[in-house]
Amino acid sequence: MGFKSINLSEKLSKFSEHWAPKIIAQMNDYHFKAVKFQGEFVWHSHEDTDEVFIVLDGEMSIAFRDGSVELKPLRLI
Amino acid sequence: MGFKSINLSEKLSKFSEHWAPKIIAQMNDYHFKAVKFQGEFVWHSHEDTDEVFIVLDGEMSIAFRDGSVELKPLRLI
């Protein structure tokens, strides 16, 4: 097994288009993707898996049938 | 399936002891843990899985048989 350090700022500086996720790392059979977006995405669901979002800049709202969550950037106090 | 917003700053403010990882979220069968530490940890390996570290503050060095990686906080430029 290998090891790798991922520079997230560098990865993000390499693209500017929206809604085009880039695979930047892999952990076992999971991908880490970096994505930039603005506006709404078509409402959809993943019945078979969880999904995690870590917001780096801006704000994100995810609507569910029974509520919504607002996500803000990961920042230390 | 449920959904949850995790406030990382809040989670980190709730404990101060070192080397005591706290499970703060779960994605499928993976745990997300928050941990504070200083100094060295006993050298060990996980033969059967990858492991991901996201550094929020400070710096971290991980030594492997064939090299080491230095990790710094996740920050946008």
Side-chain angles (χ1 to χ4, degrees):
Chain A
M1 247 176 281
F3 54 92
K4 194 160 59 168
S5 165
I6 306 292
N7 185 325
L8 203 47
S9 294
E10 182 200 6
K11 297 287 185 188
L12 288 169
S13 72
K14 287 184 175 172
F15 68 97
S16 57
E17 68 269 41
H18 290 173
W19 307 111
K22 315 292 183 190
I23 296 173
I24 57 171
Q26 181 163 355
M27 177 192 66
N28 297 328
D29 53 348
Y30 284 80
H31 283 149
F32 286 74
K33 301 176 187 176
V35 63
K36 298 180 178 182
F37 62 86
Q38 191 167 31
E40 291 195 16
F41 194 64
V42 59
W43 208 39
H44 66 285
S45 66
H46 301 283
E47 296 295 340
D48 58 339
T49 184
D50 290 337
E51 197 170 18
V52 169
F53 294 88
I54 299 176
V55 175
L56 301 174
D57 193 26
E59 297 185 8
M60 180 182 186
S61 177
I62 307 179
F64 297 87
R65 291 190 193 283
D66 53 344
S68 69
V69 289
E70 312 298 322
L71 301 180
K72 293 179 181 179
L74 180 157
R75 290 284 182 273
L76 291 182
I77 293 170
Chain B
M1 246 176 281
F3 54 93
K4 195 160 58 169
S5 164
I6 306 292
N7 186 324
L8 204 46
S9 295
E10 181 201 8
K11 296 288 185 188
L12 288 168
S13 72
K14 286 184 173 169
F15 68 98
S16 57
E17 68 268 42
H18 289 173
W19 307 111
K22 315 292 183 190
I23 296 173
I24 58 170
Q26 181 162 356
M27 177 193 66
N28 296 329
D29 54 345
Y30 284 80
H31 282 150
F32 286 73
K33 300 176 187 176
V35 64
K36 297 180 179 182
F37 62 86
Q38 192 167 32
E40 291 196 18
F41 194 63
V42 59
W43 208 40
H44 65 285
S45 66
H46 302 283
E47 296 295 339
D48 58 340
T49 184
D50 291 337
E51 198 169 18
V52 168
F53 294 89
I54 299 177
V55 175
L56 301 174
D57 193 25
E59 296 186 8
M60 179 182 187
S61 177
I62 307 178
F64 297 86
R65 290 190 193 284
D66 52 345
S68 69
V69 290
E70 312 299 321
L71 300 180
K72 294 180 180 178
L74 181 156
R75 290 284 183 274
L76 291 181
I77 293 169

